[in-house]
């Protein structure tokens, strides 16, 4: 089955409002249950978060409340898995080898489509708990901007998340006691909240809700057509189905959006852009330092080391240096993200992102290492005698 045909069929079945019930069943099957059960599942038989978000993105784009076509869930549910598996298979042609020749593995696995497959079908990279706990640390220097421009206190974000997750978790745990409800009634009962349940008479919660919700009765996500396209669901994961009814299919998506979206809000404010980027860099260094200090001790951690050849000629700098006995570990801290073009499999963009996120940092670290090894030829203008006395021992 060709990719175009797969996407056409997915676009067709996601036009119906009743695809909601297919999505709800997927959540129960693939993303709910005890930890030991979730971790024992065969990942090949289940959708990952990116695949699920892709389906929701299509539903957000295509849903037509005037479409009275009622999907037969017992047919559409397995068909959805079949289509998503076939969509994954469309990448496999790029994995083929010529059995009569020795392949160049580096060249083979550097193909854009293979890298796109790896990015899309990989794990999430973080837990919702980490996003929730780090959001206040990540944006602590932007509190005033958030209050003035978006109208809420940063500390309200994790509270907002905890409230929603706790209410949904309680509903999910209690579903076995609702045996009198039909499958569809149960799906609405478990995965939808009303405004009162979300806001809890908290003014900040209401403002946050408005920032992270999509009204499904309006046209949304119309540029979302393929893997790698920007998906509005990643920015606004609370779906308003109708007045006073909100579908929250993934609390993980909400935690990730809270952690990531604020940054993009700030980038859109050209007057605040430079400050936002500076704050982002400072916080990244502070978080790194907080991780390293329990391991190496605060006296063995050095930040922002300037390395000069002469008084006025800077060679490089080290973001963070940990020294223990005769060993020094260099940390060059970057916060470069994958661009949209890279997620779509654009090889030039992937190479550019890799260079900025990894290669440049590596090259800078190698240069810094050479300077430390030949410390007598360089100046460290802002470091004390204690630091300089340790250099010969490295």
């Amino acid at each position: 089955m060709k990719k175009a045909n797969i996407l056409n069929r997915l676009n067709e079945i996601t036009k119906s409002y009743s695809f909601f019930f297919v999505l709800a069943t997927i959540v129960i099957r693939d993303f709910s249950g005890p930890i030991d059960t979730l971790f024992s599942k065969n990942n090949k038989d289940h959708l990952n978060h990116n695949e699920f978000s892709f389906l929701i993105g299509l539903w957000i784009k295509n849903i037509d409340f005037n479409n009275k076509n009622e999907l037969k869930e017992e047919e559409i549910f397995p068909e959805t898995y079949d289509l998503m598996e076939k969509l994954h298979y469309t990448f496999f042609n790029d994995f083929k080898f010529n059995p009569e020749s020795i392949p160049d593995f580096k060249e083979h696995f550097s193909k854009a489509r293979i890298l796109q497959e790896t990015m899309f079908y990989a794990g999430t990279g973080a837990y919702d708990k980490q996003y929730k706990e780090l959001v206040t640390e990540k944006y602590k220097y932007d509190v005033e901007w958030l209050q003035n421009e978006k109208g809420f206190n940063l500390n309200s974000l994790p509270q907002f998340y905890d409230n929603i997750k706790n209410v949904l978790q309680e509903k999910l745990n209690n579903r076995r006691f609702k045996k009198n409800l039909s499958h569809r009634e149960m799906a609405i009962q478990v995965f939808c909240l009303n405004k009162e349940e979300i806001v809890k008479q908290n003014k900040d919660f209401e403002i946050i809700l408005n920032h992270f919700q999509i009204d499904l009765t309006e046209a949304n996500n119309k540029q979302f057509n393929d893997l790698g396209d920007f998906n509005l669901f990643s920015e606004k994961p609370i779906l308003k189905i109708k007045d006073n009814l909100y579908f929250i299919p993934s609390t993980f998506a909400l935690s990730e959006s809270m952690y990531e979206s604020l940054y993009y809000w700030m980038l859109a404010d050209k007057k605040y852009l430079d400050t936002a980027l500076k704050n982002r860099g400072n916080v990244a260094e502070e978080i790194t330092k907080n991780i390293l200090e329990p391991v190496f001790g605060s006296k063995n951690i050095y930040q922002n080391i300037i390395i000069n050849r002469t008084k006025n000629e800077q060679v490089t700098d080290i973001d963070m240096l940990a020294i223990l006995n005769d060993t020094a570990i260099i940390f060059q801290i970057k916060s470069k993200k994958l661009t949209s073009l890279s997620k779509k499999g654009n090889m030039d963009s992937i190479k550019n992102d890799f260079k900025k996120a990894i290669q440049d940092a590596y090259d800078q670290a190698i240069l810094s290492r050479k300077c430390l090894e030949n410390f007598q030829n360089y100046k460290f203008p802002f470091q004390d005698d204690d630091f300089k006395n340790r250099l010969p021992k490295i």
Side-chain angles (χ1 to χ4, degrees):
M1 193 172 185
K2 293 182 178 180
K3 181 179 179 180
N5 296 332
I6 297 170
L7 293 176
N8 286 340
R9 180 56 181 159
L10 287 171
N11 278 306
E12 183 63 31
I13 63 178
T14 52
K15 288 179 181 178
S16 173
Y17 165 78
S18 58
F19 192 72
F20 163 87
F21 301 106
V22 175
L23 292 171
T25 307
I26 291 173
V27 175
I28 291 174
R29 180 182 186 272
D30 292 350
F31 303 102
S32 302
I35 293 295
D36 56 340
T37 301
L38 290 174
F39 277 90
S40 65
K41 288 181 177 179
N42 183 348
N43 291 334
K44 293 181 179 180
D45 296 333
H46 299 267
L47 300 183
N48 74 3
H49 175 72
N50 288 335
E51 291 175 290
F52 182 61
S53 296
F54 181 74
L55 289 173
I56 295 177
L58 292 179
W59 188 57
I60 292 169
K61 179 185 76 169
N62 295 318
I63 186 171
D64 180 1
F65 285 93
N66 295 318
N67 183 344
K68 303 304 180 182
N69 179 33
E70 285 287 329
L71 299 178
K72 296 181 179 180
E73 294 161 49
E74 66 276 10
E75 297 176 2
I76 298 300
F77 180 74
E79 183 186 2
T80 300
Y81 279 87
D82 182 58
L83 289 167
M84 293 304 292
E85 184 175 26
K86 288 176 178 176
L87 184 61
H88 193 175
Y89 285 166
T90 62
F91 287 92
F92 288 2
N93 285 334
D94 296 283
F95 283 86
K96 291 180 179 178
F97 293 98
N98 182 351
E100 298 180 359
S101 63
I102 299 175
D104 183 332
F105 286 101
K106 180 179 180 181
E107 179 183 353
H108 182 79
F109 286 103
S110 295
K111 292 179 180 178
R113 285 274 294 166
I114 290 179
L115 292 172
Q116 185 189 20
E117 190 272 347
T118 302
M119 288 184 279
F120 186 79
Y121 291 98
T124 56
Y127 293 105
D128 59 346
K129 182 176 184 291
Q130 293 170 308
Y131 282 137
K132 183 200 75 170
E133 292 179 349
L134 280 174
V135 67
T136 50
E137 178 71 16
K138 183 177 181 180
Y139 298 105
K140 64 182 180 181
Y141 297 126
D142 305 299
V143 169
E144 186 176 348
W145 184 90
L146 283 167
Q147 186 69 65
N148 293 337
E149 299 298 326
K150 298 299 178 179
F152 65 87
N153 187 298
L154 175 62
N155 291 322
S156 295
L157 270 179
Q159 298 169 17
F160 175 82
Y161 175 78
D162 280 339
N163 173 57
I164 287 179
K165 184 171 183 178
N166 290 339
V167 174
L168 286 173
Q169 189 65 57
E170 184 177 359
K171 286 173 175 279
L172 194 61
N173 291 340
N174 291 334
R175 76 182 191 278
R176 64 182 182 276
F177 302 117
K178 307 286 186 177
K179 296 181 179 179
N180 59 316
L181 298 180
S182 68
H183 169 69
R184 291 194 168 192
E185 290 172 330
M186 180 70 72
I188 294 174
Q189 177 77 234
V190 170
F191 295 108
C192 293
L193 303 181
N194 60 43
K195 188 174 182 179
E196 289 72 26
E197 290 174 306
I198 297 174
V199 171
K200 297 288 187 182
Q201 298 182 335
N202 185 309
K203 182 180 177 181
D204 270 6
F205 285 9
E206 183 168 5
I207 295 171
I208 294 169
L209 170 62
N210 290 333
H211 284 304
F212 288 95
Q213 68 161 313
I214 303 171
D215 188 339
L216 293 187
T217 62
E218 300 174 355
N220 293 293
N221 226 21
K222 294 304 180 183
Q223 303 303 313
F224 183 69
N225 299 304
D226 199 354
L227 305 181
D229 287 344
F230 171 72
N231 187 353
L232 186 61
F233 177 69
S234 65
E235 181 183 343
K236 297 176 180 290
I238 300 176
L239 312 181
K240 184 178 180 181
I241 296 176
K242 59 182 180 180
D243 285 344
N244 204 28
L245 190 65
Y246 300 84
F247 175 36
I248 306 174
S250 170
T251 53
F252 174 82
L254 177 59
S255 71
E256 186 176 39
S257 180
M258 291 189 329
Y259 185 80
E260 300 288 2
S261 293
L262 276 62
Y263 172 65
Y264 293 106
W265 296 350
M266 294 172 196
L267 292 189
D269 184 344
K270 301 305 179 185
K271 294 181 180 178
Y272 192 72
L273 176 60
D274 290 342
T275 301
L277 293 175
K278 180 181 178 182
N279 291 346
R280 183 179 175 86
N282 289 340
V283 166
E285 291 186 8
E286 289 180 16
I287 291 175
T288 304
K289 184 179 180 182
N290 291 338
I291 294 172
L292 295 177
E293 280 187 343
V295 179
F296 295 96
S298 58
K299 293 182 179 180
N300 296 315
I301 305 295
Y302 300 89
Q303 283 182 262
N304 301 318
I305 301 170
I306 304 298
I307 303 176
N308 288 356
R309 193 183 308 278
T310 64
K311 182 178 180 180
N312 298 315
E313 182 188 354
Q314 182 174 331
V315 178
T316 187
D317 66 274
I318 300 174
D319 291 335
M320 196 83 61
L321 182 71
I323 300 177
L324 189 61
N325 300 325
D326 62 350
T327 301
I329 304 176
I330 298 167
F331 297 85
Q332 301 294 9
I333 302 162
K334 306 293 181 186
S335 53
K336 178 74 177 72
K337 302 175 70 65
L338 278 171
T339 58
S340 296
L341 274 177
S342 294
K343 293 176 183 179
K344 289 178 68 66
N346 182 288
M347 199 63 207
D348 289 338
S349 180
I350 291 173
K351 289 179 178 179
N352 186 52
D353 285 348
F354 178 86
K355 180 179 183 300
K356 292 179 178 178
I358 299 174
Q359 190 64 56
D360 287 351
Y362 176 79
D363 291 343
Q364 186 179 359
I366 292 298
L367 176 58
S368 300
R369 173 183 173 174
K370 291 178 179 178
C371 293
L372 292 177
E373 290 174 334
N374 300 281
F375 66 92
Q376 61 272 21
N377 298 327
Y378 298 95
K379 299 180 183 300
F380 302 85
F382 301 106
Q383 300 305 315
D384 57 20
D385 290 338
D386 174 67
F387 172 82
K388 295 173 183 176
N389 290 335
R390 300 182 75 170
L391 292 179
K393 302 175 184 178
I394 296 176

